[in-house]
Every structure is written in C-alpha cells, then in structure tokens.
Amino acid sequence: MTRILFVCLGNICRSPLAEGLFIDKLKIAGLEHKYKVDSAGTSAFHEGSLADPRTRENAERNGIKLLSRSRPFRKQDFVDFDLILTMDQSNFRNVKVWEPGFVEEIAEVKMMRDFDIQSRGADVPDPYYGGEKGFQNVFDILDRSTDELLKFLEGSSSNQSE
Ligand code: 4NP
C-alpha cells in the first residue's frame, strides 16, 4: 500500500483536485487497491467544506467529480503517509516546519510539479482570486503531474510488496 497526501493552503482548490484526478487515474488503471489517497490544507480556514464551487464545476466539465472535504494538515500525516506532495513553495515550507526529527517511517515531502514534465518543480498557481482560466490552467497542470506521478510510482514500486 502506497500512501499519498496532496497539500495546498485551503484544501478547497488545488489539492482536492489533485486527489480527485489521481484517484480517477488509479480507477482507470485498476490500481485503487494499492493506494491510500487524501488531501489536506496547511490552514484550517475551510475545514469541513467541499471543494470550492469553481473547482468542482471545472472538474466536472473535465469528467471528475470531487467529493472530499477540507481538513487541516497535521503532524501525524508524516507517519500516516509515504509521500506528501505540496502545491507551492509556501505549502512546502509550512509542511516542513511540522516535520518530526529522528522518527522512522517519515513521509517524503516533494513538490507536486517535480512530476510536471513541462515545468519541473514550479508552483501550482493558486487560482482562488483569479478567473475561470486559472482553474483550467490548474486542471491541466495537475492532470499532467498526476499522470507522471502514477508512472513514477508504478515504475518504482514494481519490486515492493503491496
Ligand atoms: P487552495 O486555494 O490552497 O488551492 O485550496 C485557496 C483557497 C482558499 C484561500 C486561499 C487559497 N483562502 O485564502 O481562503
């Protein structure tokens, strides 16, 4: 079982979409049973909320239904997940602040766009204060990045026990 956590600021725009896209790709590939997938926000501003209506509408137009509810990132996530993928540098730093020292089985923290072949390591731009174009741009970035992420994980996990 590989455990993946997507993290942004509010957990209502970028990370729930990354979660939904990745779960969709797992279903299509018949690999859902091999993964635990979740998302979280470095803030608790929107705790308990569904994804932003603009994110949900854009995702639905692209064939993805988002059902997750916002929850704050917690220190225990370092133990409960193997890989934490942050949407931007600010999320990355905020997650790293919580990283426990000298504990075994600690999640690796990476940037989501380390898996974007078009712009490695860049930020996934925050669409919250922008228009519809921003939401489609985020969708395209996360669609590419989650494709590459799955290829990477399936390529590197073929020798591990499930
Ligand atoms: P997210 O977008 O981090 O992709 O979920 C945001 C959502 C809400 C806020 C900022 C970013 N906010 O300031 O409330």
Side-chain angles (χ1 to χ4, degrees):
M1 175 74 76
T2 303
R3 304 161 304 168
I4 312 284
L5 181 69
F6 299 99
V7 175
C8 62
L9 172 60
N11 192 211
I12 54 167
C13 294
R14 294 164 293 176
S15 60
L17 180 59
E19 177 188 5
L21 274 163
F22 191 64
I23 289 171
D24 187 64
K25 290 172 203 295
L26 290 176
K27 280 185 186 158
I28 290 167
L31 294 169
E32 245 189 317
H33 62 287
K34 285 180 66 179
Y35 291 86
K36 169 182 159 179
V37 186
D38 197 5
S39 65
T42 58
S43 78
F45 300 152
H46 300 277
E47 187 167 8
S49 299
L50 286 169
D52 186 285
R54 298 164 297 172
T55 296
R56 279 185 284 134
E57 277 163 29
N58 176 270
E60 278 200 34
R61 264 201 298 284
N62 286 283
I64 307 286
K65 195 162 177 63
L66 301 182
L67 300 170
S68 75
R69 288 189 180 266
S70 175
R71 63 109 166 151
F73 181 80
R74 47 186 176 248
K75 196 167 180 172
Q76 179 68 24
D77 288 327
F78 280 104
V79 181
D80 291 344
F81 292 89
D82 302 303
L83 179 59
I84 296 171
L85 290 164
T86 62
M87 298 298 134
D88 63 30
Q89 281 290 341
S90 166
N91 312 147
F92 185 88
R93 284 193 300 272
N94 287 330
V95 163
K96 280 290 199 177
V97 164
W98 290 76
E99 190 169 40
F102 303 105
V103 183
E104 284 180 42
E105 310 285 346
I106 282 294
E108 191 176 358
V109 187
K110 284 176 172 283
M111 290 279 280
M112 177 80 262
R113 290 184 86 180
D114 287 348
F115 297 95
D116 184 357
I117 50 177
Q118 286 189 24
S119 195
R120 293 247 185 245
D123 286 353
V124 180
D126 183 347
Y128 192 67
Y129 294 106
E132 169 57 28
K133 263 194 186 162
F135 286 86
Q136 186 59 43
N137 182 41
V138 166
F139 186 94
D140 293 339
I141 290 168
L142 292 176
D143 194 23
R144 278 200 306 274
S145 303
T146 49
D147 262 345
E148 194 66 17
L149 172 66
L150 184 56
K151 271 190 218 155
F152 168 79
L153 291 167
E154 284 302 303
S156 66
S157 71
S158 51
N159 294 325
Q160 289 173 10
S161 57
E162 288 176 16

